[in-house]
Amino acid sequence: MWCNRIILRQLHRLNLSNLNGTLTTSTQRAMSTLPRVYVTRQIPPEGLRILRESGQVQFELWDSDDVPVPREELLKKVKGVDGLLCVLTEKIDTELLETAGPNLKVLSTMSVGFDHLSLEELKTRGIRVGYTPDVLTDSVAELTVALLLTTSRRLIEATHEAKTGGWGTWRTLWLCGHELANSTVGILGLGRIGVAIAERLAPFKVKKFIYTDVVPRPELASLINAEYVSFEELAEQSDFLSVCCALTPETKEICNKNLFSKMKNTAIFINTSRGGVVNQEDLYEALSTGQIAGAGLDVTVPEPLPTTHPLFTLKNCVILPHIASASYSTRNAMSSLAANNLLRGLRGEPMIKELKL
């Protein structure tokens, strides 16, 4: 939290310092001549404050945090805009970009993932794209550890038993789970979040960290003393397997029956990356047959996952509603970064965090 507060102050100072030379001129211009921006959600207050106080744009927003902007409304509002600030629930595709028209030059997404964006279309049209990595590393890592412990120590089951009268006499093997001590933790996709997860798990006396990725990442791996292994070895050796990779055509449903069939029947599978990296039918089969011991998911396909989905029937599957970055400080830091990316892009300056298309 302290780290994110520092980031927020730095972003605010950066924005004000860049505007000092132009603010007087901007405020003198008629509002109708300022770049038009549409914000697709009621983003956290820090980001909105930066946009309001910049004097650089006129913006309109979908004033709700509970309900995503309807597609028809979104298509109507993006016509002729110069900039767009969106979240991951909005699909930015050919239809939307054509509707927006040639004025759209900057898109800023309040997310670290970008699988909701048609990157090739954005590149073809010369639209710059900002995103919000790094500021959510700590909160995602914390939530991943919490989900791992909740799943492996069967806390949801235990809470249910305590509430519904299942708590009887003490029993030797009732609600036993799996410990981190002396375990091997595998990471699929080693980046900052994977490192942060391992750093938090190390004090639990984990015996070994292993990882696999497109290529070895020795600099990051050295921070947690992790060993690079093949995809098969990751499946076979991991007592706990945490998925941290981005969703790409190469990683779509990479966690399928091929992976689960090689895992230990005592293994715990955790996914806080993107739901699309998992074949959920194969995961259900692995969990329901005891092929693996348990799974904790913060992301699914679709989102929200229908309450009738078979995974909800399993005691050994913990499902959260995509809350890994849901801390006040992180979400405010994300909205600040998204707002600053947008403003810098509209000024023709380098964004703080820009996707290289």
Side-chain angles (χ1 to χ4, degrees):
M1 183 177 291
W2 176 249
C3 178
N4 279 336
R5 286 174 180 165
I6 293 173
I7 292 170
L8 282 173
R9 288 199 294 270
Q10 290 173 338
L11 289 172
H12 182 53
R13 286 198 299 269
L14 179 60
N15 185 55
L16 290 181
S17 64
N18 279 328
L19 291 172
N20 280 341
T22 61
L23 188 57
T24 302
T25 304
S26 297
T27 54
Q28 289 174 344
R29 296 171 62 190
M31 282 297 295
S32 60
T33 65
L34 293 176
R36 288 180 53 223
V37 168
Y38 187 65
V39 182
T40 69
R41 189 67 68 92
Q42 187 188 68
I43 62 172
E46 282 295 325
L48 290 178
R49 181 184 61 78
I50 288 170
L51 291 179
R52 288 193 182 102
E53 294 180 2
S54 72
Q56 184 184 335
V57 296
Q58 51 175 326
F59 73 92
E60 187 178 359
L61 79 159
W62 175 252
D63 198 11
S64 173
D65 190 32
D66 297 321
V67 181
V69 57
R71 180 71 174 182
E72 184 178 346
E73 175 75 4
L74 178 59
L75 292 175
K76 182 172 71 175
K77 294 297 185 182
V78 299
K79 290 179 180 178
V81 296
D82 300 281
L84 183 63
L85 196 160
C86 70
V87 296
L88 52 78
T89 54
E90 277 67 71
K91 188 170 182 59
I92 309 302
D93 55 11
T94 302
E95 180 190 32
L96 184 140
L97 295 174
E98 286 182 351
T99 302
N103 285 352
L104 181 59
K105 296 301 180 187
V106 178
L107 183 143
S108 179
T109 180
M110 188 183 135
S111 65
V112 62
F114 40 84
D115 46 283
H116 58 300
L117 309 179
S118 296
L119 298 182
E120 282 302 317
E121 282 292 331
L122 289 161
K123 181 179 179 179
T124 299
R125 296 166 189 269
I127 298 171
R128 297 173 62 191
V129 178
Y131 69 134
T132 59
D134 303 342
V135 293
L136 48 64
T137 298
D138 289 338
S139 62
V140 173
E142 286 180 8
L143 189 281
T144 303
V145 172
L147 181 57
L148 186 153
L149 291 170
T150 297
T151 305
S152 64
R153 296 304 301 269
R154 303 170 65 181
L155 300 188
I156 303 300
E157 287 182 74
T159 300
H160 176 77
E161 294 294 329
K163 286 182 176 179
T164 59
W167 185 2
T169 185
W170 185 85
R171 284 165 273 176
T172 58
L173 290 177
W174 186 54
L175 288 174
C176 282
H178 299 278
E179 296 180 15
L180 278 159
N182 298 311
S183 69
T184 296
V185 173
I187 299 170
L188 177 56
L190 186 65
R192 287 186 178 89
I193 291 175
V195 169
I197 291 168
E199 289 173 339
R200 285 158 174 78
L201 291 178
F204 286 88
K205 299 181 180 179
V206 170
K207 179 177 67 177
K208 186 179 183 182
F209 289 105
I210 59 177
Y211 77 99
T212 197
D213 211 317
V214 179
V215 294
R217 305 196 181 277
E219 288 187 10
L220 288 172
S222 66
L223 298 174
I224 54 174
N225 195 28
E227 176 188 346
Y228 178 78
V229 297
S230 69
F231 187 73
E232 281 198 2
E233 290 172 320
L234 187 82
E236 294 168 353
Q237 295 181 31
S238 296
D239 296 300
F240 300 87
L241 200 164
S242 180
V243 181
C244 303
C245 61
L247 176 59
T248 66
E250 293 72 31
T251 62
K252 183 175 172 59
E253 296 192 355
I254 193 173
C255 300
N256 53 34
K257 61 183 177 183
N258 176 55
L259 174 77
F260 301 131
S261 66
K262 294 178 172 61
M263 292 175 68
K264 303 175 183 179
N265 60 12
T266 55
I268 302 294
F269 176 83
I270 302 294
N271 183 19
T272 54
S273 60
R274 283 291 184 266
V277 303
V278 179
N279 182 307
Q280 291 175 172
E281 289 71 26
D282 290 353
L283 177 60
Y284 174 82
E285 182 69 17
L287 290 168
S288 61
T289 60
Q291 196 167 60
I292 63 174
L297 310 174
D298 184 49
V299 286
T300 60
V301 176
E303 291 183 357
L305 191 66
T307 56
T308 55
H309 195 281
L311 284 172
F312 279 121
T313 67
L314 301 175
K315 290 184 177 180
N316 59 345
C317 186
V318 177
I319 301 174
L320 302 179
H322 202 153
I323 58 168
S325 65
S327 73
Y328 291 111
S329 56
T330 291
R331 291 288 172 85
N332 268 303
M334 290 173 70
S335 71
S336 298
L337 181 52
N340 277 290
N341 281 337
L342 180 76
L343 295 175
R344 281 178 151 239
L346 289 171
R347 292 197 296 267
E349 299 173 0
M351 296 181 184
I352 301 169
K353 292 293 179 179
E354 183 169 356
L355 273 175
K356 303 304 180 185
L357 302 180

